[in-house]
Amino acid sequence: EIVLTQSPGTLSLSPGERATLSCRASQSVSSSYLAWYQQKPGQAPRLLIYGASSRATGIPDRFSGSGSATDFTLTISRLEPEDFAVYYCQQYASSLYTFGQGTKLEIK
Amino acid sequence: QVQLVESGGGLVKPGGSLRLSCAASGLTFSDYYMSWIRQAPGKGLEWVSYISSSGGTRYYADSVKGRFTISRDNAKNSLYLQMNSLRAEDTAVYYCARRGVELWLDYWGQGTLVTVSS
């Protein structure tokens, strides 16, 4: 089973700043099979990025994804107040999915 | 618009059983793979299971294999999760989600809470 490790656990930033979230896989992951989700308190997760770098429908272009093999990154270019949430990466391999443990993005 | 509504959660004793349902609308249900994902209180997301559009293919996380069974009724636009031999560590909000054409979970329900406690 591929384990995804996200860092940092918590990221404290101010609106307008740039956020960089990391997702590291225990084995190489095809870029096609890596996604990012956002979850706000009391809400279901929302798909942000799939295929490592493709934005899902309706996702603002301040969100971008990059990376390959074992290292992937979610970047939020300029934080808006509504972006403070928990972010999860997810991978698909051998017909199974796994999630990272999440990064909490909080207001500084 | 796509809507997924889970039901069937509640309080159950360890070793007990529960059946969750997910009612889908606003989509051609029979065209899509569907999945269950859970989230323990204050914890992260854990993928549980998915089922193919026809129901012929099913996969499970190791943590629930042999205890949980995913199924669907395309005539009723419904997804199910039969949970047996429940343990305290199965306590979580259970979400159903649609697997979109790109493999990813693009629509989610609001979840139903399952509490396993004596």
Side-chain angles (χ1 to χ4, degrees):
Chain A
E1 176 185 310
I2 295 178
V3 176
L4 299 178
T5 302
Q6 294 186 238
S7 61
T10 301
L11 184 58
S12 299
L13 293 170
S14 300
E17 291 193 293
R18 180 184 186 90
T20 303
L21 287 67
S22 173
C23 176
R24 183 159 290 175
S26 59
Q27 304 171 43
S28 184
V29 174
S30 166
S31 295
S32 299
Y33 296 152
L34 194 288
W36 290 90
Y37 296 82
Q38 176 195 66
Q39 187 180 32
K40 297 179 181 179
Q43 295 185 17
R46 176 174 71 147
L47 177 65
L48 294 177
I49 301 286
Y50 63 91
S53 60
S54 298
R55 275 187 300 276
T57 303
I59 301 303
D61 60 8
R62 64 180 180 273
F63 290 91
S64 64
S66 63
S68 62
T70 59
D71 287 289
F72 297 89
T73 300
L74 174 69
T75 301
I76 310 171
S77 59
R78 188 177 170 83
L79 285 166
E80 298 287 342
E82 62 268 28
D83 298 336
F84 292 91
V86 180
Y87 292 83
Y88 295 94
C89 57
Q90 183 194 30
Q91 69 84 35
Y92 176 80
S94 302
S95 301
L96 304 177
Y97 292 95
T98 53
F99 287 96
Q101 84 280 16
T103 289
K104 182 179 181 181
L105 178 55
E106 65 176 24
I107 298 177
K108 188 172 182 180
Chain B
Q1 72 282 20
V2 176
Q3 202 166 14
L4 302 172
V5 180
E6 302 92 340
S7 60
L11 176 63
V12 60
K13 289 181 167 53
S17 297
L18 210 55
R19 189 196 197 206
L20 305 183
S21 299
C22 172
S25 59
L27 74 164
T28 304
F29 183 70
S30 58
D31 282 351
Y32 293 95
Y33 283 46
M34 297 293 295
S35 189
W36 288 100
I37 304 94
R38 68 184 180 182
Q39 186 169 36
K43 303 297 184 183
L45 301 171
E46 181 186 15
W47 170 76
V48 172
S49 179
Y50 74 80
I51 187 169
S52 63
S53 51
S54 67
T57 300
R58 311 170 195 206
Y59 284 93
Y60 300 92
D62 286 345
S63 59
V64 306
K65 200 178 297 182
R67 300 188 299 122
F68 289 12
T69 302
I70 191 171
S71 63
R72 64 190 297 160
D73 185 336
N74 286 343
K76 294 184 177 179
N77 289 345
S78 292
L79 175 72
Y80 306 102
L81 186 68
Q82 177 66 44
M83 304 186 295
N84 298 332
S85 303
L86 283 161
R87 307 166 179 165
E89 55 265 35
D90 296 318
T91 294
V93 173
Y94 285 73
Y95 297 99
C96 69
R98 183 183 89 165
R99 193 177 94 162
V101 294
E102 298 286 352
L103 289 183
W104 305 106
L105 306 175
D106 58 358
Y107 285 94
W108 297 61
Q110 282 306 302
T112 187
L113 176 62
V114 172
T115 303
V116 184
S117 175
S118 54

